[in-house]
Amino acid sequence: MVEKKGSSDGGENPLDLFLKIGLDERTAKNTVANNKVTANLTAVIYEAAVTDGCDRTAGNLLYTVATKFPANALVHRPTLLKYIVSSKIKTPAQLEAAFGFLSANASETLKVNEFEEACGVGVEVSIEDIELLVNDIFEENKPKILEQRYKTNVGELFAAVRKRQPWADPKIVKQLIDEKLVALLGERTAEDNAKPVKKKKEKPAKVESKASKEETPAPNPSEEELNPYSIFPSPEENYKVHTEVYFSDRPVLRICNTKELLEKHLKATGGKVYTRFPPEPNGYLHIGHAKAMFIDFGLAKERDGCCYLRYDDTNPEAEKKEYIDHIEEIVRWMGWEPFKITYTSDYFQELYELAVALIQNGHAYVDHQTPEEIKEYREKKINSPWRDRPIEESLRLFDEMKRGMIEEGKATLRMKQDMQSDNPNMYDLIAYRIKFTPHPHAGDKWCIYPSYDYAHCIVDSLENVTHSLCTLEFEIRRASYYWLLDALGIYKPFVWEYSRLNITNNVMSKRKLNRLVTEKWVDGWDDPRLMTLAGLRRRGVTPTAINDFVCGIGITRSDHSVIRLDRLEYHIREELNKTAPRTMVVLNPLKVVITNLEAGLVMELDAKKWPDAQSDDSSSFYKVPFSKVVYIEHTDFRMKDSKDYYGLAPGKSVLLRYAFPIKCTEVILGDDKETVVELRAEYDPSKTVKPKGVLHWVAEPSPGVDPLKVEVRLFEKLFLSENPGELDDWLGDLNPNSKAVMPNAYAVPLLRNATLGDKFQFERLGYFSVDKDSTSKKLVFNRTVTLRDSDAKVGK
């Protein structure tokens, strides 16, 4: 049961209003549960003057206006509502056309004739006209319809009608198409109702001609796909109304800059785009921050503008120099160059002076409630008993707070916002707290520190940020952001929110990441299993792959998206496939003695670093020794052969990559008579045998000398569940097999001189990178990502 919410002005319950305009009960109740949509729809109903109700068609259109109306065109909303209420605009198609027109002409005086033409106002399409058009469409597509019968894509027929007659009633169009199908094809048969049989995919031809690829060009990408930053307005447009803040006791605040404020701002910036990447220095950055960087730095770069790296350092207890240094270093590793590095603490004096002005204007007060009391009063929407204390008294107390004369926890400065609002982020948020803690950047000058909600928006304004971009959980704070800037009478940036980047089988919460690190569930902030940027770098992931992944996702506002890990791995493979040379490593070596090869003979064979290596390019090859003792993977041998197995078995032949076919002639077992400890085999120097299986291998570089021994670390998903962050016992979901160490792997001599960060493809095993734990005595490799399933057949 959904409780009816009373309107803030004592008027009619929102639920009753929504039912009156024809919304079904379920939609109405779901709407009431969403504060933002409730506020928007209530405002639309009053603006349209239909508080006594209207027909369902108009009501559904009003609901669409409340949820989808372009924010930059709010000044034209009352006009659109008149067209809806008078039934001049009465279909979803007309409404979508209206949105498009108003969004494109938001700042101009509405040209009625052009608007009505764009929306089909006054255009009446009769049933006879629709019927004639449907007949034409069927006639044009008749052979295809007769062939496909009821498997015909009705959506395509519908789209063809809409293209020629966009203002036709969609219900009538659908009805006529269905009737026409029955008239042409007759009643459905059993075959029509049968599910289509999936055809087996034919094997592609070995060589695909270049022309065949060009014959089927990819569909043209949208403007947003070509340029994801095209959705953002220019700085000169920041005089438009793009946000409304609703109050319980005063008129709606329509957010825009005055001409004077905007001119002053544009003079300071030269009309350039200014953005900021504002991390808190309280932990290491993760892949979600890579998306934020892509948006903040990327927009500035695309518009030839500037992006600050601003440390949001308002909490001295959680911040460390280690994190500050890491952030600057990892931002540059990701390929971004800050226009300027700033700290919120650089502005502590300005922030303090503006807080004094806020008190003087009656917009803030010193409060003495405990955190528990504040929480209780907010839940009950009750004003603090100190909310209406005299301005002079708050000024005196705030000065005493600054001078360290009041104990920590005994007073805060709170903004006087709207305790009766439907938005809890307007419940008199705290602006300043007392903390007798030295600041890592500002030293011991201050004992009062501003909150994020107070400082963030002001510093955006002081730095003349044009676009303040943040994740969707901050959308509910937009009202507070603009309330404060409006109360201070200073420049207002354009605010826009995008969805957080969440990836399956991982956690992104800094609090959870901190627990994993401090409680030693993982090996530090740069553990290769973590989605921290330091961890991804140590694993061998490149900045290019990360940025391509983020770009591929797009700048979406979808609030519930969890991106599959596979998508990130795809971009990692795409990058490493082009940059990582091939080589061979055996993880779990099984000794194979070649009985028909002369003892002491070592052949130096050519192996390819790249699949398309040209024979005349010596740099594309490396030398690999082939001798009497070679090593293969334990998993590449079985005692029993089978049809679908490509590895080695008694009496069976395989090809050693870049070398010769070998045939297993004898199996040496351990004392338990089960464990295979060694194989004997014969090689085919003439290569007349053509086995199906191809194995990677490593040989003794000289008689009696072991191959290069290396350590290899294999990583799997850190968590078993796709969305562990939603679990109560999320630590219990950790994958006990997320890390496997192979301490005695063998590698070809090429790897002897590998250095930290070098990347390779170990054939049939995946892509690997040299780890920081490597020493002069032993190299350590991390597996970055496996090969595609079709490429890896180890043990199959």
Side-chain angles (χ1 to χ4, degrees):
M1 179 178 177
V2 177
E3 180 184 353
K4 292 186 179 182
K5 296 184 179 180
S7 68
S8 56
D9 60 359
E12 193 162 4
N13 284 318
L15 182 58
D16 292 336
L17 280 177
F18 301 164
L19 293 173
K20 279 184 180 181
I21 65 168
L23 296 190
D24 63 78
E25 189 172 358
R26 182 179 179 184
T27 301
K29 288 182 176 180
N30 286 341
T31 302
V32 170
N34 185 315
N35 289 333
K36 182 180 177 183
V37 179
T38 295
N40 282 349
L41 184 53
T42 302
V44 164
I45 291 170
Y46 277 94
E47 210 168 281
V50 290
T51 52
D52 292 330
C54 61
D55 64 79
R56 173 168 287 191
T57 299
N60 286 333
L61 295 181
L62 294 179
Y63 181 85
T64 305
V65 170
T67 54
K68 294 185 177 181
F69 190 85
N72 67 325
L74 286 169
V75 68
H76 295 309
R77 191 170 75 180
T79 303
L80 176 61
L81 296 178
K82 290 177 183 177
Y83 276 84
I84 293 172
V85 173
S86 62
S87 295
K88 291 180 179 179
I89 289 179
K90 52 191 175 183
T91 68
Q94 286 182 296
L95 189 58
E96 287 296 328
F99 288 167
F101 182 90
L102 294 176
S103 179
N105 300 276
S107 61
E108 303 170 11
T109 302
L110 189 64
K111 297 175 182 176
V112 175
N113 291 339
E114 292 180 14
F115 173 70
E116 292 187 349
E117 183 181 353
C119 305
V121 173
V123 177
E124 295 292 339
V125 185
S126 67
I127 295 178
E128 290 75 17
D129 291 336
I130 300 174
E131 193 166 10
L132 285 172
L133 183 54
V134 169
N135 288 340
D136 289 343
I137 300 294
F138 265 73
E139 198 60 38
E140 293 166 12
N141 293 275
K142 191 172 181 179
K144 186 177 179 181
I145 295 171
L146 289 172
E147 179 188 350
Q148 297 181 350
R149 290 185 58 77
Y150 284 100
K151 295 180 177 64
T152 298
N153 188 336
V154 175
E156 290 181 0
L157 300 177
F158 193 92
V161 175
R162 283 286 302 276
K163 186 175 181 181
R164 298 188 201 178
Q165 186 45 272
W167 315 125
D169 188 318
K171 291 182 180 178
I172 296 174
V173 173
K174 179 67 167 59
Q175 179 185 340
L176 289 173
I177 288 176
D178 290 343
E179 291 174 358
K180 189 70 177 174
L181 276 174
V182 175
L184 180 63
L185 304 175
E187 294 299 325
R188 285 175 176 268
T189 64
E191 189 176 345
D192 289 327
N193 293 325
K195 292 183 178 179
V197 178
K198 291 184 179 178
K199 294 181 180 179
K200 290 184 178 179
K201 292 182 180 178
E202 295 181 5
K203 290 184 178 180
K206 288 186 178 179
V207 180
E208 184 180 21
S209 69
K210 188 175 180 181
S212 67
K213 290 183 180 180
E214 293 173 351
E215 286 169 3
T216 54
N220 292 328
S222 66
E223 181 184 0
E224 189 173 334
E225 289 171 324
L226 290 171
N227 179 9
Y229 308 108
S230 62
I231 60 176
F232 297 115
S234 65
E236 294 84 0
E237 295 179 272
N238 207 359
Y239 63 88
K240 298 176 181 178
V241 175
H242 56 77
T243 299
E244 292 181 330
V245 180
Y246 296 91
F247 297 97
S248 64
D249 57 353
R250 69 199 93 158
V252 173
L253 176 62
R254 289 181 167 82
I255 300 304
C256 60
N257 285 300
T258 63
K259 182 180 178 182
E260 293 74 24
L261 278 176
L262 186 58
E263 285 179 351
K264 181 181 176 183
H265 160 78
L266 293 173
K267 185 177 179 181
T269 62
K272 283 190 172 185
V273 163
Y274 274 66
T275 61
R276 82 288 177 271
F277 174 59
E280 295 178 68
N282 60 0
Y284 277 51
L285 302 188
H286 55 66
I287 196 168
H289 293 101
K291 179 175 180 178
M293 283 186 245
F294 179 82
I295 296 172
D296 293 324
F297 284 99
L299 172 60
K301 184 178 180 180
E302 193 270 337
R303 301 281 177 91
D304 193 26
C306 305
C307 182
Y308 292 94
L309 167 57
R310 185 206 304 157
Y311 292 105
D312 187 12
D313 58 343
T314 57
N315 184 0
E317 295 171 333
E319 290 142 17
K320 294 182 182 177
K321 180 77 163 55
E322 172 194 355
Y323 301 143
I324 291 171
D325 294 342
H326 156 75
I327 290 169
E328 182 178 346
E329 188 268 333
I330 211 75
V331 165
R332 290 195 163 99
W333 177 75
M334 284 296 298
W336 305 114
E337 188 61 37
F339 150 69
K340 191 176 181 181
I341 297 177
T342 62
Y343 297 76
T344 296
S345 56
D346 292 339
Y347 302 93
F348 275 180
Q349 184 61 40
E350 291 95 326
L351 290 166
Y352 172 77
E353 291 169 2
L354 287 168
V356 171
L358 204 64
I359 299 170
Q360 289 171 335
N361 293 330
H363 294 307
Y365 61 97
V366 172
D367 187 39
H368 303 289
Q369 288 187 302
T370 64
E372 293 75 23
E373 288 171 335
I374 291 175
K375 182 174 184 291
E376 179 187 353
Y377 275 51
R378 281 177 172 164
E379 288 173 351
K380 296 177 179 178
K381 292 189 175 185
I382 301 173
N383 289 345
S384 164
W386 288 279
R387 192 176 200 262
D388 296 317
R389 74 189 328 160
I391 288 173
E392 294 74 17
E393 191 175 311
S394 282
L395 286 170
R396 176 179 57 78
L397 289 167
F398 189 49
D399 180 63
E400 290 177 3
M401 288 171 61
K402 175 179 177 286
R403 291 190 287 140
M405 297 171 64
I406 300 178
E407 290 180 41
E408 190 169 325
K410 295 296 184 181
T412 59
L413 182 70
R414 292 178 66 184
M415 295 177 270
K416 193 182 288 188
Q417 296 171 299
D418 184 3
M419 288 295 293
Q420 302 307 311
S421 172
D422 285 333
N423 184 343
N425 281 279
M426 291 292 284
Y427 294 169
D428 290 9
L429 299 181
I430 291 173
Y432 271 87
R433 292 182 176 88
I434 301 169
K435 285 187 178 181
F436 293 105
T437 304
H439 192 280
H441 185 68
D444 59 2
K445 180 180 178 181
W446 297 90
C447 63
I448 55 170
Y449 293 102
S451 67
Y452 170 89
D453 291 293
Y454 175 76
H456 186 72
C457 57
I458 295 177
V459 178
D460 276 354
S461 182
L462 295 176
E463 290 188 336
N464 276 300
V465 166
T466 58
H467 298 74
S468 179
L469 311 172
C470 51
T471 48
L472 271 172
E473 68 262 33
F474 292 98
E475 185 174 29
I476 195 172
R477 294 183 174 183
R478 193 192 285 199
S480 171
Y481 182 105
Y482 281 131
W483 173 90
L484 180 53
L485 297 183
D486 185 74
L488 292 170
I490 57 179
Y491 164 77
K492 305 173 187 69
F494 172 82
V495 174
W496 195 84
E497 299 87 8
Y498 54 88
S499 62
R500 284 174 62 99
L501 175 52
N502 293 303
I503 297 179
T504 55
N505 304 94
N506 286 279
V507 292
M508 297 294 171
S509 156
K510 270 193 181 180
R511 182 180 60 81
K512 288 183 168 66
L513 287 171
N514 191 56
R515 279 196 67 184
L516 288 173
V517 173
T518 55
E519 295 178 13
K520 301 192 182 306
W521 296 98
V522 294
D523 304 322
W525 284 100
D526 65 347
D527 187 301
R529 292 167 292 179
L530 294 177
M531 279 290 147
T532 58
L533 293 175
L536 288 167
R537 175 170 60 180
R538 185 175 177 186
R539 187 161 177 154
V541 180
T542 66
T544 302
I546 296 171
N547 284 325
D548 286 349
F549 165 66
V550 171
C551 183
I553 294 169
I555 306 175
T556 175
R557 279 178 58 84
S558 174
D559 196 16
H560 303 288
S561 57
V562 179
I563 307 300
R564 295 196 63 80
L565 182 60
D566 305 0
R567 289 184 66 176
L568 173 60
E569 291 180 341
Y570 165 81
H571 288 282
I572 296 170
R573 290 190 190 96
E574 286 292 296
E575 171 67 12
L576 293 177
N577 185 50
K578 294 180 287 187
T579 58
R582 276 62 173 166
T583 187
M584 292 190 291
V585 171
V586 174
L587 301 180
N588 190 11
L590 174 60
K591 186 176 182 180
V592 181
V593 178
I594 310 298
T595 56
N596 62 334
L597 184 65
E598 181 183 339
L601 177 64
V602 179
M603 303 182 203
E604 292 289 330
L605 306 178
D606 284 329
K608 291 182 177 181
K609 292 181 181 178
W610 311 101
D612 55 355
Q614 300 299 310
S615 57
D616 59 349
D617 180 10
S618 60
S619 66
S620 295
F621 293 84
Y622 67 95
K623 294 294 184 181
V624 56
F626 180 75
S627 60
K628 191 173 184 68
V629 176
V630 301
Y631 293 88
I632 65 171
E633 295 286 357
H634 253 285
T635 52
D636 278 334
F637 176 79
R638 288 182 188 173
M639 289 298 290
K640 292 184 179 180
D641 195 12
S642 62
K643 186 178 179 181
D644 60 347
Y645 175 62
Y646 295 93
L648 192 60
K652 183 180 180 179
S653 295
V654 295
L655 176 65
L656 297 182
R657 184 83 159 138
Y658 308 119
F660 306 94
I662 62 169
K663 181 178 181 180
C664 179
T665 56
E666 186 181 354
V667 179
I668 311 298
L669 300 177
D671 294 339
D672 60 3
K673 304 302 180 183
E674 290 183 2
T675 305
V676 177
V677 295
E678 187 178 307
L679 302 177
R680 305 287 165 84
E682 294 180 352
Y683 88 111
D684 176 12
S686 62
K687 301 183 181 181
T688 53
V689 179
K690 304 294 182 184
K692 289 184 178 180
V694 180
L695 307 185
H696 63 285
W697 55 279
V698 173
E700 288 184 349
S702 56
V705 177
D706 286 339
L708 176 66
K709 185 178 288 187
V710 298
E711 179 177 307
V712 177
R713 297 169 181 174
L714 308 177
F715 302 107
E716 298 294 338
K717 293 169 182 173
L718 183 58
F719 290 90
L720 299 171
S721 301
E722 288 198 343
N723 199 356
E726 297 296 316
L727 303 175
D728 292 334
D729 182 19
W730 60 277
L731 286 171
D733 191 56
L734 281 164
N735 180 4
N737 302 312
S738 62
K739 179 181 178 180
V741 177
M742 317 297 287
N744 299 308
Y746 281 153
V748 295
L750 172 73
L751 292 174
R752 187 178 303 278
N753 297 319
T755 58
L756 177 63
D758 284 353
K759 297 167 180 58
F760 303 90
Q761 184 196 105
F762 293 174
E763 297 208 36
R764 300 177 67 235
L765 298 175
Y767 295 97
F768 293 77
S769 179
V770 180
D771 187 72
K772 68 177 186 178
D773 289 343
S774 297
T775 66
S776 58
K777 295 183 179 179
K778 191 174 187 179
L779 287 166
V780 178
F781 291 89
N782 294 323
R783 181 155 69 184
T784 309
V785 67
T786 60
L787 299 175
R788 296 179 182 88
D789 290 341
S790 59
D791 296 337
K793 292 183 178 178
V794 180
K796 289 184 71 175

